[in-house]
Amino acid sequence: SQMNNHRTKRIYKILLSQLLVGLIMFLLGSFIVYFASGYRLNLKNLKIEHTGILALVSDRNDASVYLGGKLESRRTPFSKNLSPGRYDVEVRLNGYTTWKTTAKIEPELVTNFDNIVLFKENIEVADLTDPKKIRLLSAPVDTLAVNAEKKLNHNDYEIWVGYDLVTRFSKPINNAVWYPDTEHIIFQQEDQIRIIDRDGNNDTLLIKLNQLSPTIFVVADRDEEIYFLDSGKYKFALIR
């Protein structure tokens, strides 16, 4: 009788241990499936949420990514599952202007920024003497936008792509043209040549001119140089 009781207890222990192992495996498997499906525990409200993904691709792999001012990565490309909401995003690199946006993250969706270009700060200007490069300033600016999805237009204070308003300025502009990737727009505003993202963000100074009157400019050499006419002299600068 005592032997039977001992054997019964042993069987119960074995069954209980197997049940616990099975339960742990089930919970672990469920966690992996939920995690892979984009579910995360929100530590603020202790609720499980279906996340979205933020994805960033920059022209500089050594750029750092910040979310809400906090360093997230020292490299790009970058992607991360995030709870739904709005996030202040920055891509930074010493010697270059910081790229900024506010990203709206939605459940089950990828919020993608795959055309991030960082332009140099404190750009140095030099004389342009190469005849071939000077001739580029006479080329039709339309050649820069042969692959553009929609037509680029502007008036004295606004830039439009098709029927979409890119941005509106308080100071007049002129000579707005596509950057070669057709994801950025270069324009002149008074004595400045500037560039802006197609969505109207990141209005950035490239060149400070010595004239207020309209000038001509073109981007070439793997999209890294800008050639322009300033007070009757041909100039160039490395912008990337």
Side-chain angles (χ1 to χ4, degrees):
S1 177
Q2 290 180 350
M3 184 177 295
N4 289 336
N5 290 337
H6 180 72
R7 184 177 299 174
T8 301
K9 290 180 179 179
R10 187 178 179 185
I11 292 175
Y12 282 152
K13 288 181 179 180
I14 293 174
L15 291 175
L16 181 61
S17 63
Q18 290 178 342
L19 179 63
L20 288 174
V21 170
L23 180 60
I24 292 172
M25 294 299 294
F26 172 77
L27 292 175
L28 181 59
S30 298
F31 173 79
I32 292 173
V33 170
Y34 272 85
F35 190 89
S37 299
Y39 287 93
R40 298 292 187 276
L41 175 63
N42 189 322
L43 296 177
K44 293 182 179 180
N45 55 27
L46 298 180
K47 292 183 178 180
I48 295 178
E49 296 179 336
H50 205 169
T51 61
I53 296 177
L54 173 66
L56 307 172
V57 179
S58 168
D59 66 322
R60 295 297 304 258
N61 293 337
D62 52 348
S64 297
V65 178
Y66 289 77
L67 296 181
K70 178 184 176 182
L71 177 63
E72 291 287 339
S73 174
R74 297 187 184 276
R75 304 285 295 178
T76 61
F78 167 84
S79 63
K80 185 175 182 177
N81 286 86
L82 295 170
S83 297
R86 293 184 179 273
Y87 295 82
D88 292 328
V89 183
E90 295 183 356
V91 178
R92 305 180 190 174
L93 182 63
N94 287 338
Y96 292 78
T97 57
T98 297
W99 180 89
K100 301 178 181 180
T101 195
T102 298
K104 183 181 179 182
I105 304 300
E106 299 183 80
E108 303 183 59
L109 296 180
V110 177
T111 301
N112 189 34
F113 299 92
D114 57 359
N115 292 290
I116 300 172
V117 177
L118 302 183
F119 296 97
K120 285 181 173 291
E121 289 183 325
N122 305 316
I123 293 173
E124 296 183 2
V125 175
D127 291 331
L128 179 62
T129 57
D130 187 333
K132 293 182 179 179
K133 294 182 177 180
I134 290 174
R135 281 198 294 271
L136 290 175
L137 287 167
S138 302
V141 295
D142 289 346
T143 60
L144 293 176
V146 292
N147 296 318
E149 297 176 3
K150 297 180 180 178
K151 188 175 181 181
L152 175 65
N153 293 292
H154 72 90
N155 55 39
D156 289 343
Y157 294 93
E158 298 172 337
I159 297 177
W160 293 77
V161 176
Y163 295 104
D164 298 324
L165 176 66
V166 175
T167 191
R168 181 177 291 111
F169 299 98
S170 60
K171 296 180 181 180
I173 62 170
N174 53 63
N175 200 20
V177 299
W178 285 113
Y179 186 71
D181 65 0
T182 68
E183 295 294 335
H184 301 79
I185 300 163
I186 305 180
F187 61 96
Q188 182 183 350
Q189 188 174 51
E190 296 184 337
D191 61 347
Q192 299 178 353
I193 297 176
R194 307 184 66 87
I195 191 163
I196 193 171
D197 291 353
R198 184 171 175 159
D199 62 6
N201 289 323
N202 297 291
D203 182 2
T204 302
L205 172 66
L206 293 179
I207 303 295
K208 180 77 170 178
L209 299 167
N210 293 310
Q211 66 181 64
L212 291 170
S213 57
T215 188
I216 54 175
F217 48 84
V218 66
V219 173
D221 196 12
R222 302 184 303 278
D223 309 344
E224 295 179 354
E225 290 185 346
I226 185 170
Y227 313 140
F228 59 98
L229 188 63
D230 188 12
S231 297
K233 297 181 179 179
Y234 293 107
K235 302 285 185 177
F236 82 96
L238 185 66
I239 61 176
R240 287 174 58 186

